[in-house]
Amino acid sequence: MGDEYLQQFLDETTWYNHIVLGYLLPTNLWYPLPHFLQTWLRNYLAGTLLYLISGFLWCFYIYYLKRNVYVPKDAIPTNKAMLLQIYVAMKAMPWYCALPSLSEYMIENGWTKCYDRVSEVGWLPHLLYLSLYLVFVEFGIYWMHRELHDIKPLYKYLHATHHIYNKQNTLSPFAGLAFHPVDGILQAVPHVIALFIIPTHFTTHVGLLFLEAVWTANIHDCIHGKLWPVMGAGYHTIHHTTYRHNYGHYTIWMDWMLGTLRDPSDEEGKKVRMLMESEMLS
């Protein structure tokens, strides 16, 4: 890639920095910083705001505006539990934001297969590349997540931090980023590895990384959306209770192919049958 072409990436990240930091901080606090630190600070502030605002709005909607509609009263997590999740997530946030900052640095230096404009490849190849990117990310996150369970030291020292939330009344949208920082980074690494293998639209890559904050909040709210083949909260709640099923990220396909899928509808059917049997016995 030529210097002029790489300058387009640098101009775009600089523009993002000016938009976010220019609105949130006095210029003298961020403008003198090196470009990489400006990018990290932008990602940190944007990530923190996205996590907190989306989490608070979603909790307010499902726990208060729609109280007892989506989640039974006795299944609503306590404020103490949610504050603990926020505390764990906020401790990890500075480290989480190092990954997109590093990926942007590599893109700006021409080390990846990123392209800056959809017009450079055309819409049909762009959609094909996006599909390949999502398939690769799904594959990578499935196996990374599964190994964080299967390799005992990784589970004990990293992933167990997230799995203290193992019941419906301890899970909330705020649990979505409540990980050990190394765990959170490992599960996002497939997004970055894909950049070296698959031509990827730069803005789409950045957007998908930040979409993770919204997606992980959604799959920890314990509400089964019943939108096949999406790996929604109904599936992920089972993961938090069995530890051995539903490792997938966006879809159920990897779990279905590798025999680790457990369907929430089957679980509901079992509960109904058990209830009917207990009533017959009584």
Side-chain angles (χ1 to χ4, degrees), residues 5-277:
Y5 185 78
L6 294 178
Q7 186 64 40
Q8 294 179 23
F9 293 119
L10 187 60
D11 290 344
E12 189 166 342
T13 55
T14 300
W15 182 62
Y16 294 153
N17 292 345
H18 280 247
I19 289 175
V20 176
L21 300 178
Y23 275 104
L24 297 177
L25 295 174
T27 303
N28 64 311
L29 291 182
W30 63 270
Y31 193 75
L33 296 174
H35 178 74
F36 181 83
L37 289 181
Q38 287 185 18
T39 299
W40 173 85
L41 185 59
R42 177 249 296 169
N43 287 327
Y44 174 71
L45 292 175
T48 298
L49 287 172
L50 183 61
Y51 169 71
L52 292 175
I53 292 172
S54 63
F56 277 117
L57 288 176
W58 194 235
C59 287
F60 180 72
Y61 180 75
I62 63 176
Y63 298 150
Y64 295 99
L65 288 183
K66 296 292 183 178
R67 195 175 185 88
N68 292 326
V69 175
Y70 297 117
V71 181
K73 185 177 180 180
D74 59 355
I76 296 175
T78 64
N79 289 336
K80 182 179 179 181
M82 288 189 284
L83 286 172
L84 177 60
Q85 292 161 10
I86 293 170
Y87 172 72
V88 172
M90 293 314 301
K91 279 203 308 180
M93 190 67 74
W95 302 100
Y96 292 161
C97 295
L99 188 65
S101 303
L102 180 61
S103 75
E104 290 182 40
Y105 176 81
M106 293 187 292
I107 291 165
E108 291 164 359
N109 283 275
W111 301 347
T112 70
K113 291 182 176 291
C114 269
Y115 54 92
D116 190 48
R117 300 284 184 269
V118 174
S119 58
E120 294 169 23
V121 297
W123 275 102
L124 189 59
H126 167 68
L127 294 174
L128 175 62
Y129 293 146
L130 176 58
S131 299
L132 291 173
Y133 177 96
L134 291 173
V135 169
F136 181 88
V137 167
E138 185 72 30
F139 176 87
I141 292 178
Y142 173 90
W143 279 110
M144 186 66 74
H145 191 184
R146 185 166 174 174
E147 294 310 306
L148 283 162
H149 280 267
D150 290 347
I151 300 173
K152 291 182 179 179
L154 291 182
Y155 183 82
K156 180 179 179 180
Y157 296 108
L158 298 180
H159 200 51
T161 299
H162 183 64
H163 270 275
I164 62 172
Y165 317 112
N166 57 7
K167 295 183 180 67
Q168 189 171 4
N169 63 357
T170 62
L171 284 166
S172 84
F174 288 117
L177 291 181
F179 291 89
H180 185 290
V182 176
D183 181 0
I185 289 170
L186 284 174
Q187 293 199 59
V189 158
H191 280 281
V192 179
I193 296 175
L195 302 179
F196 295 92
I197 303 169
I198 302 163
T200 305
H201 182 229
F202 172 55
T203 306
T204 301
H205 164 70
V206 173
L208 285 170
L209 276 178
F210 277 89
L211 180 65
E212 292 292 323
V214 178
W215 180 251
T216 56
N218 173 263
I219 64 174
H220 287 87
D221 65 11
C222 299
I223 300 170
H224 183 30
K226 300 180 181 179
L227 185 61
W228 185 90
V230 174
M231 178 66 75
Y235 289 95
H236 198 71
T237 302
I238 291 173
H239 171 75
H240 272 264
T241 54
T242 70
Y243 299 79
R244 284 302 187 190
H245 301 91
N246 303 351
Y247 299 103
H249 191 53
Y250 294 124
T251 74
I252 65 171
W253 292 117
M254 288 297 298
D255 286 284
W256 177 73
M257 287 189 291
L258 296 169
T260 53
L261 183 67
R262 181 172 286 188
D263 196 311
S265 300
D266 295 339
E267 297 297 302
E268 291 171 6
K270 287 178 185 177
K271 289 178 182 178
V272 171
R273 286 194 298 272
M274 289 174 63
L275 182 61
M276 290 175 65
E277 287 172 4

